[in-house]
Amino acid sequence: MKKALVCGAGGFIGSHMVKRLKKEGYWVRGVDLKYTEFAPTEADDFVIGDLREQRVCRSVVDESFEVIYQFAADMGGAGFVFTGENDADILHNSALINLNMVELANRLKIKKIFYSSSACIYPEHNQLDPDNPNCREDSAYPANPDSEYGWEKLFSERLYLAFHKNHGLAVRIARYHNIFGPEGSWNNGREKAPAALCRKVAETPDGGQIEIWGDGKQTRSFLYIDECIEATRRLVDSDCLGPLNIGSEEMVTLDQLATMIMQIAGKTLAIKHIPGPTGVRGRNSDNALYFEKIGWKVSKPLLDGLTQTYLWIKEQAERVGTAA
Ligand code: NAD
């Protein structure tokens, strides 16, 4: 039986990857600082441990693993990443995890290791025009990410690639663009825009008002979790190292995103724009290279995934008694 290790299996993408690998017949070990929050894990074995500690890394990895998925990171949405308040933790904690895992994977001759990088590595100067952001993979250098989160991701990409170059370690790297869906953070300060806006809409009575950070004209694209998992599995099974973008090309403004959620909810709400951490002005995935290398395209409309996500967040808000 094929065996996989999922680091960060208690988090959003990691927990969905565990489910997918189980469906494919893998024996899966998950490791995380915490258990999954919203549904029991489907991992065969789940270790609570801190991957900043080499001792913990050594205790969860052995030669029998076919593949390691490295999702563990100290991360969150704009409210966590762009305020500057968590920069030391973001750089230190995530870098340590990656330093430990890549060295161990190499030492134990693990066949493949997947690393989840981010669209946040792209230079700020290519993302100033909200209508024409440039996120082609080859535009990453000269580097100028707008956050320490992006710098750590870029450093770690280079770390994995250097282990490939010097030691032949098989690495696969994706640059994720705003992944969203059920069973992700929605109210703990680490939630990203789709979850935060779904929560605000679910918690506000029809005719009320929600707040959006910035002027609402900043653009982004958002990829539903099922497509992220599919795209990741295809990348891992391919011969392509990456880094490849995994994201949607359906770019919307934050105001448009909020309006779509209101439509799903059947509510009319006013939007109040307030100062807050927003990140770059514009960002959209560029999927040309992914299609060229992997021959597959994400295709689900944003509205579909957003509907699933809104319904799930509304249910969570009802459960904790904050739904309107
Ligand atoms: P998440 O926060 O839900 O999951 C990350 C998990 O890592 C958490 O469960 C956390 O407890 C765990 N973790 C943190 N520090 C750890 C440590 N020291 N030891 C063990 N576990 C630790 O985030 P996610 O959305 O599932 O993201 C997964 C990966 O994908 C991350 O590396 C993230 O940077 C990357 N990524 C995500 C997105 C997105 O839109 N969700 C976009 C770009 C990149």
Side-chain angles (χ1 to χ4, degrees):
M1 191 187 246
K2 288 199 275 190
K3 287 175 77 177
L5 177 71
V6 178
C7 303
F12 171 48
I13 303 176
S15 62
H16 284 273
M17 182 56 81
V18 169
K19 285 185 204 169
R20 169 64 183 257
L21 293 170
K22 284 307 299 168
K23 276 204 191 89
E24 289 186 35
Y26 279 80
W27 186 94
V28 182
R29 173 177 291 156
V31 54
D32 202 299
L33 289 172
K34 61 173 177 66
Y35 286 110
T36 45
E37 274 176 69
F38 306 111
T41 181
E42 292 184 18
D44 298 278
D45 183 31
F46 195 100
V47 179
I48 293 291
D50 187 337
L51 295 169
R52 289 172 302 180
E53 292 183 33
Q54 288 182 351
R55 178 186 56 81
V56 171
C57 297
R58 280 197 302 271
S59 73
V60 294
V61 189
D62 62 58
E63 290 86 349
S64 64
F65 286 104
E66 187 107 345
V67 53
I68 296 177
Y69 287 86
Q70 200 322 67
F71 296 112
D74 202 355
M75 65 89 71
F80 184 78
V81 164
F82 297 122
T83 59
E85 287 164 15
N86 304 300
D87 283 355
D89 279 349
I90 288 171
L91 280 169
H92 175 262
N93 295 343
S94 300
L96 265 188
I97 296 170
N98 287 311
L99 286 161
N100 287 342
M101 288 310 300
V102 75
E103 191 277 330
L104 194 58
N106 182 55
R107 186 149 38 95
L108 296 183
K109 305 211 177 320
I110 301 299
K111 286 208 187 95
K112 229 176 245 183
I113 182 162
F114 168 80
Y115 173 57
S116 47
S117 182
S118 166
C120 289
I121 64 99
Y122 286 112
E124 186 173 16
H125 53 257
N126 285 346
Q127 301 173 86
L128 298 175
D129 176 356
D131 297 323
N132 295 297
N134 177 10
C135 291
R136 277 170 53 104
E137 283 84 347
D138 60 6
S139 70
Y141 297 96
N144 182 25
D146 74 330
S147 64
E148 300 303 349
Y149 173 73
W151 278 108
E152 189 282 326
K153 288 291 185 193
L154 201 55
F155 162 75
S156 290
E157 280 190 5
R158 298 182 70 94
L159 177 70
Y160 284 87
L161 290 170
F163 269 80
H164 170 74
K165 188 172 66 183
N166 294 161
H167 303 292
L169 179 68
V171 302
R172 300 288 183 273
I173 302 173
R175 292 176 179 159
Y176 288 150
H177 290 242
N178 294 308
I179 314 303
F180 75 101
E183 299 181 19
S185 296
W186 67 282
N187 70 343
N188 65 359
R190 290 187 184 234
E191 62 275 16
K192 300 180 142 210
L197 291 176
C198 284
R199 186 197 69 231
K200 290 177 188 187
V201 171
E203 292 180 344
T204 307
D206 195 15
Q209 174 179 283
I210 57 166
E211 292 180 342
I212 289 188
W213 289 338
D215 63 6
K217 294 187 175 60
Q218 63 272 37
T219 53
R220 291 292 185 278
S221 69
F222 301 94
L223 184 69
Y224 191 60
I225 184 69
D226 290 359
E227 296 213 288
C228 165
I229 297 292
E230 182 66 32
T232 305
R233 286 292 298 110
R234 285 174 184 263
L235 168 59
V236 168
D237 283 353
S238 79
D239 292 333
C240 180
L241 270 64
L244 290 184
N245 289 328
I246 290 187
S248 158
E249 292 180 320
E250 187 182 342
M251 189 171 78
V252 292
T253 67
L254 267 284
D255 279 354
Q256 285 167 339
L257 181 70
T259 305
M260 286 171 93
I261 298 169
M262 288 179 214
Q263 280 162 2
I264 293 164
K267 293 183 184 181
T268 308
L269 307 173
I271 296 176
K272 184 181 177 195
H273 296 110
I274 58 164
T278 55
V280 293
R281 282 302 285 162
R283 176 172 292 155
N284 193 12
S285 188
D286 181 324
N287 295 347
L289 188 63
Y290 184 95
F291 185 63
E292 183 191 316
K293 299 283 183 193
I294 312 291
W296 184 80
K297 273 187 179 150
V298 302
S299 58
K300 210 177 166 96
L302 173 59
L303 189 63
D304 287 11
L306 215 44
T307 304
Q308 306 288 321
T309 308
Y310 178 75
L311 293 176
W312 181 80
I313 288 179
K314 182 168 165 271
E315 209 177 283
Q316 301 307 306
E318 283 163 359
R319 186 173 56 80
V320 301
T322 56

